[in-house]
Amino acid sequence: MEVMDLLRERKSVRTFLDKKIDDDVKDLLYEAAFEAPTAGCQMFYSIIEVKDERKKEVLAKACDSQMWLTKAPLVLVFVADNRRWNDLYRAYGLKPREPRLGDLWLALSDANIAAENMVIAAESLGLGSCYIGDVIERHEIVKDLLELPDEVVPACMLVIGYPDAKAKDRSKPRRFAKGYIVHQDAYHIQSAADHKKYYEGHFIKTDKEIDYKDTLKKFMEFKYESDFSKEMSRSARLYFAPFLKDE
Amino acid sequence: MEVMDLLRERKSVRTFLDKKIDDDVKDLLYEAAFEAPTAGCQMFYSIIEVKDERKKEVLAKACDSQMWLTKAPLVLVFVADNRRWNDLYRAYGLKPREPRLGDLWLALSDANIAAENMVIAAESLGLGSCYIGDVIERHEIVKDLLELPDEVVPACMLVIGYPDAKAKDRSKPRRFAKGYIVHQDAYHIQSAADHKKYYEGHFIKTDKEIDYKDTLKKFMEFKYESDFSKEMSRSARLYFAPFLKDE
C-alpha cells in the first residue's frame, strides 16, 4: 500500500528549500519519465530543462507572471514532439507525411503520461512538484524562447524541488466524489440538483456558513472568465494551426 | 526505491487471467485517479466504465478492430470533460462562456494524468494495464456509443486486468537514451548522424545483423503511414471542431 499512500498524499508544491537536486537524483526523475507507457514505444515528447536564469524569468512572466517559479531548482517543459521521428525517418532517406492533429494528440498524451511518472518518482524521492498549465499561453514568446519548431508544442511544465515547511503544512484540496466522475456505459448528463449535491458536498464543513453561489461565481470569474484562460485558447490555436492544414 | 522499481518494471499487458476485479480494488483504482494533480482542482475529466458486452465489442472494433480488448475485465474510457463545470455553473444560474481549445487542452491533460495514476496504482495491486490510443478514431461511432456531448472528448482508454503468464513473460521494450530526449534551455534539432546513433543504439544487440533502414521503413509504414494513423487525424478534427469555432 506504499504506492497508494504516496498517490493519496501527493499535493502540489510551490515553495521550495534552497537546496539543489543532485544529478543522480535528476537522472532517476528522467528515467521514471522514460519508463512511462508511450504510444508504440515512440516517446513522442522531448523534455527541455530550463536552467538559464534569464530564460526562467521570461518563462515565468509568460506563464501569467508566476514569478515564484523562478525559485524552483528544476524547471522542465515537456513538449509534444512530432518532429523527432520525422527527422529520424528522413535521416534514413525515407519520406514521411507531415504530422496532423491525431499525431499531436498522441504526443500530448505521451508527454503528460511521462510527466506524471516523473511527479510520482519525485514524490517518492522526497521532492515536491507542480504542473504549470500556463505554459500553453503566449505562443509567440515561448516558441521563440525555447526555439520550438512548428511540429513541437508545449504539453506541460513541471517545477520540482525540495518542499519547505509551508509547502509541507498545506492541506491537499479535496477531490469530488466518485458519483460525480464515474459513468456507467455512457456519459450521463447530470441534473442541476446533482451538480449542487456534489459541489456542496466536496467542501470541508466548518461552523461558518458558505455562500455556494457566490463562491462558485468568484471561482468562475477567476479561473474561467479570466484573461489567462482566454489567452490559453488564443495561444493554443496558433500551436495547433500547422496540424490542421489541409492535405 | 519500491516506487522507482515499479515504474521501471511496468509494461503494457494485453492478455489477462479470467479473474474479475473486486469492487474494493476498483475503488482503489478510481481513488488513485482522483488524487492525481488536476488543473485548479477541477478534475476536467470523467471516466466511463464500459461493462455492456455489446458496447465493448463495438468499441474494440472502432479501435482498429482490436477484439482482444473485449477480454479485459475492466474497460475505461477517460474523457476530457468541458461540460460538467459549465453545467455546474448553470445549475447556480451563472452564464459561463462556451469551452474553447485551451479548455480542451487542459482537460485532455487532466484525463491523461489521472489515467497514469490509475496505471501505477493498478501495477502496485498486481494488475496489468494497457492504453488504447485508438479510442480517438471513429468519431461517429464512439461519440454515439458513449453518448458524448460535443464538449466531451475521449482522451484515452485503459484496459485493466490480472496479467496471464504470457503477459508476465513479455520483455519490456527498451526506451531511448536521455541524450535523445532531454534538451538544455532550448529545443535542439539533431543531426542525421545523431538520429542514427540513438535509433541504432536502442536495439538490443544479438548475433543477427539488423537492416536498420528496412526495419524503420516497415515501422513507418505500419505506425505512421497506415490507415489507422490517418483515421486518428480525421476523427480528431471532428472532436476538435466545436472548440475551434470563432467567438
Side-chain angles (χ1 to χ4, degrees):
Chain A
M1 299 310 275
E2 197 199 306
V3 171
M4 276 305 303
D5 286 341
L6 183 142
L7 299 177
R8 263 185 208 114
E9 281 158 31
R10 187 270 168 198
K11 58 195 179 194
S12 295
V13 167
R14 293 181 185 83
T15 48
F16 304 99
L17 295 180
D18 184 17
K19 181 181 168 186
K20 82 183 260 295
I21 302 171
D22 289 338
D23 284 345
D24 55 340
V25 174
K26 242 194 246 183
D27 279 343
L28 287 173
L29 297 179
Y30 284 126
E31 192 189 355
F34 301 162
E35 292 293 339
T38 155
C41 207
Q42 290 164 96
M43 302 172 77
F44 278 131
Y45 58 87
S46 292
I47 304 173
I48 303 174
E49 182 182 347
V50 184
K51 275 184 168 170
D52 181 283
E53 292 299 331
R54 186 195 63 86
K55 285 200 175 188
K56 273 192 184 180
E57 283 206 13
V58 175
L59 195 57
K61 192 140 188 275
C63 291
D64 201 34
S65 294
Q66 296 186 70
M67 303 317 292
W68 63 269
L69 62 84
T70 62
K71 305 269 188 241
L74 186 57
V75 175
L76 302 174
V77 181
F78 283 68
V79 290
D81 190 345
N82 287 116
R83 169 95 193 208
R84 191 197 315 117
W85 275 89
N86 276 9
D87 279 352
L88 170 62
Y89 292 138
R90 286 186 283 257
Y92 284 92
L94 303 172
K95 292 191 187 349
R97 63 177 173 77
E98 280 186 69
R100 288 291 177 263
L101 189 58
D103 308 300
L104 176 57
W105 192 333
L106 280 183
L108 289 168
S109 300
D110 265 18
N112 277 299
I113 290 166
E116 184 56 10
N117 257 30
M118 187 185 282
V119 159
I120 290 161
E123 191 72 17
S124 80
L125 296 162
L127 287 155
S129 61
C130 188
Y131 281 92
I132 312 293
D134 303 88
V135 73
I136 69 180
E137 296 164 28
R138 306 284 167 208
H139 166 273
E140 299 82 350
I141 293 167
V142 174
K143 186 173 162 66
D144 179 62
L145 185 79
L146 303 179
E147 301 173 34
L148 305 180
D150 282 351
E151 306 88 347
V152 177
V153 171
C156 64
M157 178 160 139
L158 281 183
V159 295
I160 298 178
Y162 292 95
D164 70 2
K166 190 178 146 201
K168 284 185 178 170
D169 282 352
R170 196 176 73 91
S171 53
K172 178 170 178 168
R174 256 208 201 171
R175 299 323 199 224
F176 288 110
K178 181 181 160 193
Y180 204 35
I181 307 295
V182 178
H183 301 234
Q184 294 296 329
D185 283 320
Y187 187 89
H188 296 293
I189 290 170
Q190 310 197 47
S191 66
D194 274 346
H195 280 290
K196 288 184 173 180
K197 179 183 83 179
Y198 285 114
Y199 177 66
E200 297 180 11
H202 104 295
F203 284 84
I204 295 161
K205 297 289 172 285
T206 61
D207 291 341
K208 228 182 103 191
E209 199 150 342
I210 300 168
D211 182 336
Y212 291 109
K213 179 172 177 177
D214 186 61
T215 304
L216 185 65
K217 183 167 177 281
K218 285 185 179 132
F219 185 84
M220 181 178 94
E221 283 163 2
F222 175 59
K223 283 285 183 192
Y224 194 62
E225 301 292 348
S226 49
D227 289 344
F228 81 81
S229 179
K230 291 168 190 169
E231 166 57 18
M232 271 188 193
S233 289
R234 183 202 68 86
S235 181
R237 287 178 82 129
L238 296 173
Y239 281 119
F240 273 66
F243 297 87
L244 292 165
K245 276 185 288 189
D246 286 320
E247 294 305 316
Chain B
M1 298 311 273
E2 196 199 309
V3 172
M4 275 306 301
D5 287 340
L6 182 143
L7 298 178
R8 263 187 208 113
E9 281 158 33
R10 187 270 168 199
K11 59 196 178 195
S12 295
V13 168
R14 293 181 185 83
T15 48
F16 304 99
L17 296 180
D18 185 18
K19 180 181 169 186
K20 79 182 264 292
I21 303 171
D22 289 337
D23 284 346
D24 54 340
V25 174
K26 242 193 246 181
D27 279 343
L28 286 173
L29 297 179
Y30 284 126
E31 191 189 354
F34 301 162
E35 291 294 340
T38 156
C41 208
Q42 289 163 98
M43 302 171 76
F44 277 130
Y45 59 88
S46 291
I47 305 172
I48 303 174
E49 182 182 347
V50 184
K51 276 186 169 168
D52 182 282
E53 292 300 330
R54 187 195 63 85
K55 285 200 176 188
K56 273 192 185 182
E57 283 206 14
V58 175
L59 196 56
K61 194 141 186 275
C63 290
D64 201 34
S65 295
Q66 296 185 70
M67 302 318 292
W68 63 268
L69 62 83
T70 61
K71 305 270 189 241
L74 186 57
V75 175
L76 302 173
V77 181
F78 283 69
V79 289
D81 191 345
N82 286 116
R83 170 93 193 210
R84 188 194 317 114
W85 275 89
N86 275 10
D87 279 352
L88 170 62
Y89 292 138
R90 285 186 284 258
Y92 284 92
L94 303 172
K95 291 189 188 347
R97 62 176 173 77
E98 279 186 70
R100 288 291 176 263
L101 190 57
D103 308 299
L104 176 57
W105 193 332
L106 280 183
L108 288 168
S109 301
D110 264 18
N112 277 299
I113 291 166
E116 184 55 11
N117 257 31
M118 187 185 283
V119 160
I120 290 162
E123 192 72 16
S124 79
L125 296 162
L127 288 156
S129 60
C130 188
Y131 280 92
I132 312 293
D134 302 89
V135 73
I136 69 180
E137 295 162 29
R138 307 285 167 206
H139 167 273
E140 300 82 351
I141 294 167
V142 174
K143 185 173 161 70
D144 179 61
L145 185 79
L146 302 180
E147 301 173 33
L148 305 180
D150 282 349
E151 307 88 346
V152 177
V153 172
C156 64
M157 177 159 138
L158 282 183
V159 295
I160 299 179
Y162 292 95
D164 69 3
K166 190 180 145 199
K168 284 185 179 170
D169 282 352
R170 197 176 72 92
S171 53
K172 178 169 179 168
R174 257 206 201 170
R175 301 323 200 220
F176 289 109
K178 181 181 160 191
Y180 204 33
I181 308 294
V182 178
H183 302 233
Q184 294 297 330
D185 284 320
Y187 188 89
H188 296 293
I189 290 169
Q190 309 196 49
S191 67
D194 274 346
H195 279 290
K196 288 184 173 182
K197 180 183 83 177
Y198 286 113
Y199 177 65
E200 297 181 10
H202 104 296
F203 284 86
I204 294 160
K205 296 288 170 286
T206 62
D207 292 341
K208 228 183 101 189
E209 199 151 339
I210 301 167
D211 182 336
Y212 291 108
K213 179 172 176 177
D214 186 60
T215 304
L216 186 65
K217 182 168 176 282
K218 284 185 179 131
F219 185 84
M220 182 178 93
E221 282 162 3
F222 175 60
K223 283 288 185 191
Y224 193 62
E225 302 291 348
S226 49
D227 289 345
F228 81 81
S229 179
K230 290 168 190 168
E231 166 58 17
M232 269 187 194
S233 289
R234 184 202 68 86
S235 181
R237 286 178 82 129
L238 296 173
Y239 281 119
F240 272 68
F243 297 88
L244 291 165
K245 276 186 287 187
D246 287 318
E247 295 305 316

